[in-house]
Amino acid sequence: MKIGFISDTHGSVFYLKKALSHLQNCDILLHAGDILSYGGYQSEPIIDVLNDLHNIFFVRGNTDRSIDFSFLKHEFSHDSRLIQLQNLRIFMTHGDIAPFESLFQTAKKENAAIFVYGHTHRATLMKKEGCIILNPGSTSYPRNGIHSCSILEHDFIKLIDIETGDIFGKMKFHF
């Protein structure tokens, strides 16, 4: 199974398309929130790109919560969600609804192998108490200078610089 992770696209079709070029042929795409730009304009072309994807799941970010997303073809009502893919459990949230440690403990309580969050605009890949913690970073407005996404394939989770294609973080993972 090949899983792609993105977050904090903030309305940028340009960077979303760059990220998607690295996530081609993914079985599932997970978006950890903040789809639209600050202020959330419903007419943004990013919605057209997202509506063309058939295999994407979302959680709402802080910039998404006050928007009527009826124009998005995908279900978009979760602030956090547990995703079961075969024998893999992934807990995903944007990261702003509670302190990080509380969200991490919820992921652990749900027996998630991977805890995915966004919000910080900083890519993170680490292991804590047997759980992988992944923030794919921001495709559009990175605070670490790297426009990024992440992919799980062939027993590895990788952080990818979407401008250069370089892998700047990698961890072995079996599920």
Side-chain angles (χ1 to χ4, degrees):
M1 178 172 291
K2 189 174 177 181
I3 305 169
F5 304 90
I6 55 178
S7 188
D8 296 283
T9 50
H10 287 291
S12 174
V13 172
F14 176 79
Y15 284 113
L16 174 60
K17 286 183 176 179
K18 276 189 170 264
L20 292 174
S21 73
H22 295 283
L23 304 176
Q24 292 178 4
N25 304 316
C26 282
D27 299 298
I28 300 288
L29 295 171
L30 301 179
H31 193 302
D34 280 358
I35 292 170
L36 299 181
S37 62
Y38 299 100
Y41 302 103
Q42 293 185 9
S43 62
E44 294 190 58
I46 196 167
I47 296 302
D48 294 333
V49 175
L50 294 172
N51 277 337
D52 285 342
L53 300 172
H54 67 283
N55 59 344
I56 190 163
F57 295 88
F58 301 93
V59 291
R60 294 182 301 187
N62 53 295
T63 65
D64 302 324
R65 287 198 188 88
S66 62
I67 308 301
D68 171 13
F69 272 92
S70 59
F71 53 90
L72 186 63
K73 292 180 183 175
H74 307 283
E75 194 280 321
F76 194 67
S77 63
H78 300 281
D79 288 333
S80 62
R81 67 193 306 175
L82 182 66
I83 298 161
Q84 179 87 37
L85 303 169
Q86 297 171 0
N87 62 342
L88 176 63
R89 293 171 68 88
I90 300 171
F91 180 77
M92 182 170 67
T93 188
H94 185 60
D96 66 307
I97 59 173
F100 176 84
E101 189 59 32
S102 175
L103 294 169
F104 175 71
Q105 290 306 319
T106 300
K108 292 284 293 172
K109 185 176 86 176
E110 294 287 352
N111 295 314
I114 304 173
F115 168 46
V116 180
Y117 70 102
H119 190 58
T120 67
H121 294 225
R122 287 179 170 81
T124 302
L125 179 59
M126 59 187 244
K127 193 169 196 174
K128 179 179 176 180
E129 300 174 28
C131 183
I132 301 290
I133 297 172
L134 171 65
N135 184 327
S138 175
T139 58
S140 306
Y141 297 106
R143 293 189 179 130
N144 64 349
I146 302 171
H147 299 266
S148 61
C149 66
S150 182
I151 192 166
L152 168 59
E153 68 176 330
H154 307 299
D155 297 331
F156 284 95
I157 297 178
K158 304 170 196 168
L159 292 170
I160 302 166
D161 179 326
I162 64 175
E163 292 191 292
T164 66
D166 293 340
I167 295 169
F168 65 96
K170 185 175 177 179
M171 183 178 287
K172 191 144 182 77
F173 179 74
H174 293 287
F175 64 96

